[in-house]
Every structure is written in structure tokens, then in C-alpha cells.
Amino acid sequence: GLDYARSLVQTSDEGYALVGYTGAKSWLVKTDANGDVQWNKTYWRAGFVYYAHSLVQTVDGGYALAGCTTASGTLDFWLVKTDTSGNMIWNQTYGGARSEVAYSLVQTVEGGYAMAGVTESSEFGSSDFWLVKTDADGNMQWNKTYGGTRSEYAYSLVQASNGGYALAGFTESFVASYNDFWLVKTDANGNVQWNKTYGGEINEYAHSIIQTSDGGYALAGFTNSFGAGCGDFWLVKTDANGSMIWNQTYGGTNWDGANSLVQTVDGGYALAGFTDSFGAGDYDFW
């Protein structure tokens, strides 16, 4: 059947943990340092959908995964906490009258959790950024929505060095046409401090954000407005206030898009995604 890996972490024992879904079940796979499976767990209940999109190893050596479930009726944010062997300790859902999907998860410095994604239940637009903050047991402490009269999706979240949060995705509300990268910076309580858009005349979607070693941010995704082809990898570097310092495109004449970004130990960057311009044909890892 269909199996999707959505998130990867290197574990404290130098192995790896991957999370995603198999059919309608969330699936967590733990491997050793050579990628050989040590154990795997599914999380589900018959008749409902459970999709995991983001994974962290928690400070106690267990795991937390976030995504969405239909267990409460419509799609809701879903957060699961496990022990070191992947056995579920607790799970919580968060949502409104319509659909919510969590795409990114962090364990916060005080031991709680923060999740970012999209909500369709807010009073602003058809969809908005949604940020949910919980305590260490998954009890919601607060939530915030960010958006305009049209569509916004948050795909990536970091806790900033000052204790606030930075969310990245795309906005349709705050641009002249189509979609742009959207970066929203909040304080520790989720109140917006500033927000920035980056893009051209067509579409830009940010899928990954990191805080860089100089205190600024780097965002990766794809662009239709710039570059060599239909869509290209797009890497945007900003200062600590979100002002663009530089940007670069990477790609060929067909579709290329970045889904994940890290800063490397030499201060550069590594981006991963897909290419239809290079490789063996159709879409390849790039």
C-alpha cells in the first residue's frame, strides 16, 4: 500500500526515527545508525484518519509527533507523546468546527509543545496560520491565528532564541497576486511582533524555516516567479528582523521544489526536495 515519511530526526543513540503514515494510520519507525529497523509503531483507531507530519525526540528520550485526525469529527490538530520505545503515553486533539492540520512541531524550552499549521475555523479567511501552545502534558495553554481574508498555510515552525516563535508558509491575502512566502514572528505568548512577505508576480511557497547562527532566518521552498523553469528551489536569507539579505534559486527548466532545509556546520545550507529537471526521469529526490 501507500506509505509516506514526513519527518526525520537523528536520535540520541545516533540512530534515526521517521514518522509519517501507512494508509490511514500514523507510523513511527526507529532504526539504528545503519538504518536497520529496531522497532515500529502505528497509532490509530478503526474508522478514523491519523496522519503524522512532524516528529521530535523529547528531552526524556521519548518522542512527540503532530499531525491531524478525524477522531473528533472534522480534521483536528493531533499531538501524541510516547515513551522511548514508541508506546503511546497520551494524545490530545485541538480544533474548531472546521478543519485543522498541524504540519510542524517543536518541544519548547520549558518542556511544553508548540504546533503550527492551518485552521479553517477562524473568523479571518478561508484558511489561516494556526499556532497552538501546550504544557508538557499536552494541555492547551493558548492558541493564535494569523491571516487575512484569503488563504494562509503555515508549514514550518521554530522557537526563536528570544523565546518567541517564527512561522513560515505562504499568504494569499497580503500580496498583489497569487501567493508569497510569509514569515510571521511572535513573542513568547504568540503575539505578532512583525511579519514579512517575499515573492514575485506568480507563486512562492515556503516549506521550511530555520533560525541561522547569526540570529536571522533562512526559508526554503519553491518559486514560479524567479529562476530557470516552471518552478525552482528558492532559498531566502533574512536578518533578525526579517529583512531579506539575499536569495538564490536552484533548478532547471522543469519543476523543482525544496521541502526541507538545514544550516551546515561550515555555515552553509543544505536543501532537499524534488526535481523534474535532472535525474533519471519524472520526479527524483534532489
PDB file of all heavy atoms in Angstrom, residues 225-251:
ATOM      1  N   SER A 225       8.169  32.606  -9.810  1.00  0.00           N
ATOM      2  CA  SER A 225       8.426  33.954 -10.313  1.00  0.00           C
ATOM      3  C   SER A 225       9.858  34.148 -10.795  1.00  0.00           C
ATOM      4  O   SER A 225      10.120  34.997 -11.656  1.00  0.00           O
ATOM      5  CB  SER A 225       8.142  34.985  -9.219  1.00  0.00           C
ATOM      6  OG  SER A 225       6.818  34.890  -8.750  1.00  0.00           O
ATOM      7  N   PHE A 226      10.792  33.403 -10.209  1.00  0.00           N
ATOM      8  CA  PHE A 226      12.203  33.590 -10.492  1.00  0.00           C
ATOM      9  C   PHE A 226      12.803  32.259 -10.936  1.00  0.00           C
ATOM     10  O   PHE A 226      12.169  31.213 -10.843  1.00  0.00           O
ATOM     11  CB  PHE A 226      12.942  34.100  -9.248  1.00  0.00           C
ATOM     12  CG  PHE A 226      12.225  35.218  -8.543  1.00  0.00           C
ATOM     13  CD1 PHE A 226      11.673  35.037  -7.279  1.00  0.00           C
ATOM     14  CD2 PHE A 226      12.083  36.458  -9.138  1.00  0.00           C
ATOM     15  CE1 PHE A 226      11.006  36.058  -6.623  1.00  0.00           C
ATOM     16  CE2 PHE A 226      11.419  37.493  -8.501  1.00  0.00           C
ATOM     17  CZ  PHE A 226      10.883  37.289  -7.245  1.00  0.00           C
ATOM     18  N   GLY A 227      14.049  32.282 -11.413  1.00  0.00           N
ATOM     19  CA  GLY A 227      14.761  31.054 -11.727  1.00  0.00           C
ATOM     20  C   GLY A 227      14.655  30.640 -13.172  1.00  0.00           C
ATOM     21  O   GLY A 227      14.260  31.421 -14.046  1.00  0.00           O
ATOM     22  N   ALA A 228      14.967  29.364 -13.415  1.00  0.00           N
ATOM     23  CA  ALA A 228      15.194  28.882 -14.772  1.00  0.00           C
ATOM     24  C   ALA A 228      13.987  28.213 -15.407  1.00  0.00           C
ATOM     25  O   ALA A 228      13.969  28.024 -16.625  1.00  0.00           O
ATOM     26  CB  ALA A 228      16.370  27.903 -14.777  1.00  0.00           C
ATOM     27  N   GLY A 229      13.008  27.790 -14.610  1.00  0.00           N
ATOM     28  CA  GLY A 229      11.955  26.957 -15.192  1.00  0.00           C
ATOM     29  C   GLY A 229      10.596  27.194 -14.585  1.00  0.00           C
ATOM     30  O   GLY A 229      10.311  28.255 -14.011  1.00  0.00           O
ATOM     31  N   CYS A 230       9.737  26.161 -14.694  1.00  0.00           N
ATOM     32  CA  CYS A 230       8.362  26.250 -14.187  1.00  0.00           C
ATOM     33  C   CYS A 230       8.338  26.558 -12.699  1.00  0.00           C
ATOM     34  O   CYS A 230       7.538  27.359 -12.227  1.00  0.00           O
ATOM     35  CB  CYS A 230       7.639  24.926 -14.434  1.00  0.00           C
ATOM     36  SG  CYS A 230       7.624  24.370 -16.138  1.00  0.00           S
ATOM     37  N   GLY A 231       9.196  25.882 -11.958  1.00  0.00           N
ATOM     38  CA  GLY A 231       9.335  26.109 -10.526  1.00  0.00           C
ATOM     39  C   GLY A 231      10.736  25.726 -10.121  1.00  0.00           C
ATOM     40  O   GLY A 231      11.311  24.778 -10.651  1.00  0.00           O
ATOM     41  N   ASP A 232      11.335  26.471  -9.212  1.00  0.00           N
ATOM     42  CA  ASP A 232      12.702  26.220  -8.767  1.00  0.00           C
ATOM     43  C   ASP A 232      12.770  26.239  -7.256  1.00  0.00           C
ATOM     44  O   ASP A 232      11.941  26.877  -6.585  1.00  0.00           O
ATOM     45  CB  ASP A 232      13.661  27.288  -9.317  1.00  0.00           C
ATOM     46  CG  ASP A 232      13.937  27.123 -10.802  1.00  0.00           C
ATOM     47  OD1 ASP A 232      13.999  25.984 -11.268  1.00  0.00           O
ATOM     48  OD2 ASP A 232      14.077  28.146 -11.499  1.00  0.00           O
ATOM     49  N   PHE A 233      13.782  25.547  -6.716  1.00  0.00           N
ATOM     50  CA  PHE A 233      14.138  25.748  -5.326  1.00  0.00           C
ATOM     51  C   PHE A 233      14.345  27.244  -5.103  1.00  0.00           C
ATOM     52  O   PHE A 233      14.951  27.930  -5.932  1.00  0.00           O
ATOM     53  CB  PHE A 233      15.466  25.057  -5.004  1.00  0.00           C
ATOM     54  CG  PHE A 233      15.417  23.596  -4.707  1.00  0.00           C
ATOM     55  CD1 PHE A 233      14.514  22.740  -5.317  1.00  0.00           C
ATOM     56  CD2 PHE A 233      16.333  23.041  -3.833  1.00  0.00           C
ATOM     57  CE1 PHE A 233      14.508  21.390  -5.052  1.00  0.00           C
ATOM     58  CE2 PHE A 233      16.355  21.682  -3.555  1.00  0.00           C
ATOM     59  CZ  PHE A 233      15.437  20.848  -4.153  1.00  0.00           C
ATOM     60  N   TRP A 234      13.880  27.752  -3.952  1.00  0.00           N
ATOM     61  CA  TRP A 234      14.148  29.140  -3.610  1.00  0.00           C
ATOM     62  C   TRP A 234      14.599  29.207  -2.168  1.00  0.00           C
ATOM     63  O   TRP A 234      13.929  28.669  -1.274  1.00  0.00           O
ATOM     64  CB  TRP A 234      12.914  30.019  -3.812  1.00  0.00           C
ATOM     65  CG  TRP A 234      13.219  31.487  -3.880  1.00  0.00           C
ATOM     66  CD1 TRP A 234      14.360  32.064  -4.356  1.00  0.00           C
ATOM     67  CD2 TRP A 234      12.370  32.562  -3.455  1.00  0.00           C
ATOM     68  NE1 TRP A 234      14.274  33.436  -4.266  1.00  0.00           N
ATOM     69  CE2 TRP A 234      13.070  33.769  -3.720  1.00  0.00           C
ATOM     70  CE3 TRP A 234      11.103  32.634  -2.905  1.00  0.00           C
ATOM     71  CZ2 TRP A 234      12.531  35.022  -3.438  1.00  0.00           C
ATOM     72  CZ3 TRP A 234      10.559  33.879  -2.627  1.00  0.00           C
ATOM     73  CH2 TRP A 234      11.275  35.066  -2.891  1.00  0.00           C
ATOM     74  N   LEU A 235      15.759  29.811  -1.940  1.00  0.00           N
ATOM     75  CA  LEU A 235      16.349  29.983  -0.616  1.00  0.00           C
ATOM     76  C   LEU A 235      16.442  31.472  -0.327  1.00  0.00           C
ATOM     77  O   LEU A 235      17.050  32.226  -1.096  1.00  0.00           O
ATOM     78  CB  LEU A 235      17.735  29.343  -0.562  1.00  0.00           C
ATOM     79  CG  LEU A 235      18.534  29.497   0.736  1.00  0.00           C
ATOM     80  CD1 LEU A 235      17.821  28.841   1.913  1.00  0.00           C
ATOM     81  CD2 LEU A 235      19.934  28.880   0.561  1.00  0.00           C
ATOM     82  N   VAL A 236      15.817  31.892   0.777  1.00  0.00           N
ATOM     83  CA  VAL A 236      15.793  33.299   1.179  1.00  0.00           C
ATOM     84  C   VAL A 236      16.481  33.426   2.527  1.00  0.00           C
ATOM     85  O   VAL A 236      16.144  32.707   3.479  1.00  0.00           O
ATOM     86  CB  VAL A 236      14.341  33.824   1.275  1.00  0.00           C
ATOM     87  CG1 VAL A 236      14.316  35.232   1.883  1.00  0.00           C
ATOM     88  CG2 VAL A 236      13.667  33.813  -0.088  1.00  0.00           C
ATOM     89  N   LYS A 237      17.446  34.337   2.626  1.00  0.00           N
ATOM     90  CA  LYS A 237      18.147  34.616   3.889  1.00  0.00           C
ATOM     91  C   LYS A 237      17.740  36.003   4.378  1.00  0.00           C
ATOM     92  O   LYS A 237      17.741  36.967   3.602  1.00  0.00           O
ATOM     93  CB  LYS A 237      19.656  34.551   3.669  1.00  0.00           C
ATOM     94  CG  LYS A 237      20.480  34.941   4.896  1.00  0.00           C
ATOM     95  CD  LYS A 237      20.324  33.938   6.024  1.00  0.00           C
ATOM     96  CE  LYS A 237      21.221  34.316   7.213  1.00  0.00           C
ATOM     97  NZ  LYS A 237      20.669  35.462   7.975  1.00  0.00           N
ATOM     98  N   THR A 238      17.380  36.093   5.657  1.00  0.00           N
ATOM     99  CA  THR A 238      16.961  37.363   6.247  1.00  0.00           C
ATOM    100  C   THR A 238      17.830  37.702   7.456  1.00  0.00           C
ATOM    101  O   THR A 238      18.534  36.840   8.003  1.00  0.00           O
ATOM    102  CB  THR A 238      15.492  37.318   6.705  1.00  0.00           C
ATOM    103  OG1 THR A 238      15.398  36.700   7.995  1.00  0.00           O
ATOM    104  CG2 THR A 238      14.606  36.599   5.704  1.00  0.00           C
ATOM    105  N   ASP A 239      17.726  38.946   7.904  1.00  0.00           N
ATOM    106  CA  ASP A 239      18.328  39.325   9.176  1.00  0.00           C
ATOM    107  C   ASP A 239      17.353  38.991  10.305  1.00  0.00           C
ATOM    108  O   ASP A 239      16.290  38.384  10.070  1.00  0.00           O
ATOM    109  CB  ASP A 239      18.741  40.795   9.167  1.00  0.00           C
ATOM    110  CG  ASP A 239      17.563  41.760   9.036  1.00  0.00           C
ATOM    111  OD1 ASP A 239      16.389  41.355   9.271  1.00  0.00           O
ATOM    112  OD2 ASP A 239      17.810  42.931   8.705  1.00  0.00           O
ATOM    113  N   ALA A 240      17.687  39.408  11.524  1.00  0.00           N
ATOM    114  CA  ALA A 240      16.872  39.059  12.689  1.00  0.00           C
ATOM    115  C   ALA A 240      15.505  39.725  12.672  1.00  0.00           C
ATOM    116  O   ALA A 240      14.591  39.286  13.393  1.00  0.00           O
ATOM    117  CB  ALA A 240      17.612  39.439  13.969  1.00  0.00           C
ATOM    118  N   ASN A 241      15.326  40.744  11.839  1.00  0.00           N
ATOM    119  CA  ASN A 241      14.043  41.437  11.733  1.00  0.00           C
ATOM    120  C   ASN A 241      13.259  41.041  10.485  1.00  0.00           C
ATOM    121  O   ASN A 241      12.255  41.672  10.157  1.00  0.00           O
ATOM    122  CB  ASN A 241      14.265  42.945  11.746  1.00  0.00           C
ATOM    123  CG  ASN A 241      14.877  43.427  13.036  1.00  0.00           C
ATOM    124  OD1 ASN A 241      14.416  43.056  14.116  1.00  0.00           O
ATOM    125  ND2 ASN A 241      15.931  44.229  12.946  1.00  0.00           N
ATOM    126  N   GLY A 242      13.731  40.017   9.785  1.00  0.00           N
ATOM    127  CA  GLY A 242      13.012  39.514   8.623  1.00  0.00           C
ATOM    128  C   GLY A 242      13.291  40.249   7.330  1.00  0.00           C
ATOM    129  O   GLY A 242      12.680  39.922   6.301  1.00  0.00           O
ATOM    130  N   SER A 243      14.202  41.207   7.328  1.00  0.00           N
ATOM    131  CA  SER A 243      14.551  41.906   6.089  1.00  0.00           C
ATOM    132  C   SER A 243      15.451  41.017   5.239  1.00  0.00           C
ATOM    133  O   SER A 243      16.440  40.474   5.746  1.00  0.00           O
ATOM    134  CB  SER A 243      15.260  43.228   6.400  1.00  0.00           C
ATOM    135  OG  SER A 243      14.411  44.075   7.144  1.00  0.00           O
ATOM    136  N   MET A 244      15.103  40.848   3.963  1.00  0.00           N
ATOM    137  CA  MET A 244      15.858  39.956   3.090  1.00  0.00           C
ATOM    138  C   MET A 244      17.287  40.474   2.886  1.00  0.00           C
ATOM    139  O   MET A 244      17.489  41.635   2.560  1.00  0.00           O
ATOM    140  CB  MET A 244      15.167  39.798   1.736  1.00  0.00           C
ATOM    141  CG  MET A 244      15.853  38.777   0.836  1.00  0.00           C
ATOM    142  SD  MET A 244      15.201  38.738  -0.861  1.00  0.00           S
ATOM    143  CE  MET A 244      13.568  38.066  -0.593  1.00  0.00           C
ATOM    144  N   ILE A 245      18.256  39.593   3.081  1.00  0.00           N
ATOM    145  CA  ILE A 245      19.660  39.913   2.825  1.00  0.00           C
ATOM    146  C   ILE A 245      20.047  39.436   1.430  1.00  0.00           C
ATOM    147  O   ILE A 245      20.684  40.149   0.670  1.00  0.00           O
ATOM    148  CB  ILE A 245      20.567  39.279   3.892  1.00  0.00           C
ATOM    149  CG1 ILE A 245      20.197  39.802   5.277  1.00  0.00           C
ATOM    150  CG2 ILE A 245      22.039  39.548   3.580  1.00  0.00           C
ATOM    151  CD1 ILE A 245      20.943  39.108   6.411  1.00  0.00           C
ATOM    152  N   TRP A 246      19.668  38.200   1.101  1.00  0.00           N
ATOM    153  CA  TRP A 246      19.897  37.671  -0.245  1.00  0.00           C
ATOM    154  C   TRP A 246      18.930  36.540  -0.513  1.00  0.00           C
ATOM    155  O   TRP A 246      18.263  36.047   0.404  1.00  0.00           O
ATOM    156  CB  TRP A 246      21.350  37.217  -0.453  1.00  0.00           C
ATOM    157  CG  TRP A 246      21.918  36.264   0.565  1.00  0.00           C
ATOM    158  CD1 TRP A 246      22.791  36.570   1.577  1.00  0.00           C
ATOM    159  CD2 TRP A 246      21.690  34.843   0.669  1.00  0.00           C
ATOM    160  NE1 TRP A 246      23.106  35.445   2.304  1.00  0.00           N
ATOM    161  CE2 TRP A 246      22.457  34.371   1.766  1.00  0.00           C
ATOM    162  CE3 TRP A 246      20.917  33.926  -0.045  1.00  0.00           C
ATOM    163  CZ2 TRP A 246      22.468  33.035   2.157  1.00  0.00           C
ATOM    164  CZ3 TRP A 246      20.922  32.586   0.339  1.00  0.00           C
ATOM    165  CH2 TRP A 246      21.687  32.158   1.423  1.00  0.00           C
ATOM    166  N   ASN A 247      18.822  36.151  -1.784  1.00  0.00           N
ATOM    167  CA  ASN A 247      18.031  34.983  -2.157  1.00  0.00           C
ATOM    168  C   ASN A 247      18.699  34.311  -3.351  1.00  0.00           C
ATOM    169  O   ASN A 247      19.400  34.948  -4.129  1.00  0.00           O
ATOM    170  CB  ASN A 247      16.585  35.355  -2.463  1.00  0.00           C
ATOM    171  CG  ASN A 247      16.429  36.116  -3.755  1.00  0.00           C
ATOM    172  OD1 ASN A 247      16.132  35.532  -4.808  1.00  0.00           O
ATOM    173  ND2 ASN A 247      16.630  37.434  -3.727  1.00  0.00           N
ATOM    174  N   GLN A 248      18.480  33.001  -3.471  1.00  0.00           N
ATOM    175  CA  GLN A 248      19.055  32.232  -4.568  1.00  0.00           C
ATOM    176  C   GLN A 248      18.031  31.221  -5.071  1.00  0.00           C
ATOM    177  O   GLN A 248      17.257  30.670  -4.281  1.00  0.00           O
ATOM    178  CB  GLN A 248      20.309  31.465  -4.118  1.00  0.00           C
ATOM    179  CG  GLN A 248      21.473  32.334  -3.662  1.00  0.00           C
ATOM    180  CD  GLN A 248      22.255  32.940  -4.811  1.00  0.00           C
ATOM    181  OE1 GLN A 248      22.000  32.628  -5.971  1.00  0.00           O
ATOM    182  NE2 GLN A 248      23.213  33.809  -4.500  1.00  0.00           N
ATOM    183  N   THR A 249      18.035  30.986  -6.383  1.00  0.00           N
ATOM    184  CA  THR A 249      17.220  29.929  -6.975  1.00  0.00           C
ATOM    185  C   THR A 249      18.131  28.829  -7.484  1.00  0.00           C
ATOM    186  O   THR A 249      19.279  29.072  -7.872  1.00  0.00           O
ATOM    187  CB  THR A 249      16.351  30.446  -8.133  1.00  0.00           C
ATOM    188  OG1 THR A 249      17.199  30.974  -9.154  1.00  0.00           O
ATOM    189  CG2 THR A 249      15.381  31.505  -7.653  1.00  0.00           C
ATOM    190  N   TYR A 250      17.602  27.601  -7.492  1.00  0.00           N
ATOM    191  CA  TYR A 250      18.334  26.431  -7.978  1.00  0.00           C
ATOM    192  C   TYR A 250      17.347  25.572  -8.742  1.00  0.00           C
ATOM    193  O   TYR A 250      16.283  25.230  -8.202  1.00  0.00           O
ATOM    194  CB  TYR A 250      18.922  25.624  -6.813  1.00  0.00           C
ATOM    195  CG  TYR A 250      19.583  26.469  -5.746  1.00  0.00           C
ATOM    196  CD1 TYR A 250      18.867  26.839  -4.600  1.00  0.00           C
ATOM    197  CD2 TYR A 250      20.886  26.909  -5.875  1.00  0.00           C
ATOM    198  CE1 TYR A 250      19.454  27.619  -3.617  1.00  0.00           C
ATOM    199  CE2 TYR A 250      21.488  27.690  -4.890  1.00  0.00           C
ATOM    200  CZ  TYR A 250      20.764  28.039  -3.764  1.00  0.00           C
ATOM    201  OH  TYR A 250      21.334  28.821  -2.789  1.00  0.00           O
ATOM    202  N   GLY A 251      17.682  25.225  -9.978  1.00  0.00           N
ATOM    203  CA  GLY A 251      16.780  24.367 -10.729  1.00  0.00           C
ATOM    204  C   GLY A 251      17.048  24.382 -12.208  1.00  0.00           C
ATOM    205  O   GLY A 251      17.955  25.068 -12.695  1.00  0.00           O
TER     206      GLY A 251
END
